[in-house]
Amino acid sequence: MIEINTLVSIVTPAGEFVGKLEEQTSDFVTLKEPKMIIHTSDKQMGFARGVCLTGEENPELVTFYGGGIILVTPSNEEIIAAYRKMTSGIIV
C-alpha cells in the first residue's frame, strides 16, 4: 500500500492524473490537490488547473472509482518537482 500524502500518478481510460494520496481502498482512490496531465501542441507535458474541462478549477479533493482506475503508482522525481513548482511556486 502507498503511504498517505505520497504524490501518485493515476492512469485511467480518460487520461493520467497526479495528486497527493488522501485515501485508497479496493474500490476507490482519493487525491488531494489533483491535476490532470496535458500535452501542449509543442509536445511538452503540463498540468491542467483541475481534472476535467467542465469541473471546478483546482479542486481540493477528487475521488476515482474502481472501474476507471488502471493503475496507481508513486510519481517519479521529475513529476514531483514540477508538481511542487506548480502548486506552491517553489522551484526545486
Side-chain angles (χ1 to χ4, degrees), residues 33-76:
E33 298 179 351
K35 303 294 177 199
M36 179 173 50
I37 299 295
I38 58 171
H39 297 279
T40 63
S41 58
D42 58 352
K43 300 186 182 187
Q44 298 295 310
M45 185 192 77
F47 300 102
R49 293 170 52 166
V51 293
C52 65
L53 295 174
T54 60
E56 175 184 26
E57 187 175 313
N58 297 319
E60 185 177 327
L61 293 172
V62 168
T63 300
F64 296 86
Y65 291 93
I69 300 170
I70 296 171
L71 67 89
V72 179
T73 186
S75 298
N76 69 53

Side-chain angles (χ1 to χ4, degrees), residues 5 8 14 18 22-23 25 30-31 38 43 60 75-76 80 82:
N5 283 322
V8 296
V18 176
E22 177 77 10
E23 185 176 0
T25 72
T30 300
L31 296 184
I38 58 171
K43 300 186 182 187
E60 185 177 327
S75 298
N76 69 53
I80 292 169

Side-chain angles (χ1 to χ4, degrees), residues 2 8-13 16-17 24 29 68-74:
I2 301 170
V8 296
S9 298
I10 294 182
V11 176
T12 75
E16 191 168 338
F17 303 86
Q24 182 177 15
V29 175
I69 300 170
I70 296 171
L71 67 89
V72 179
T73 186

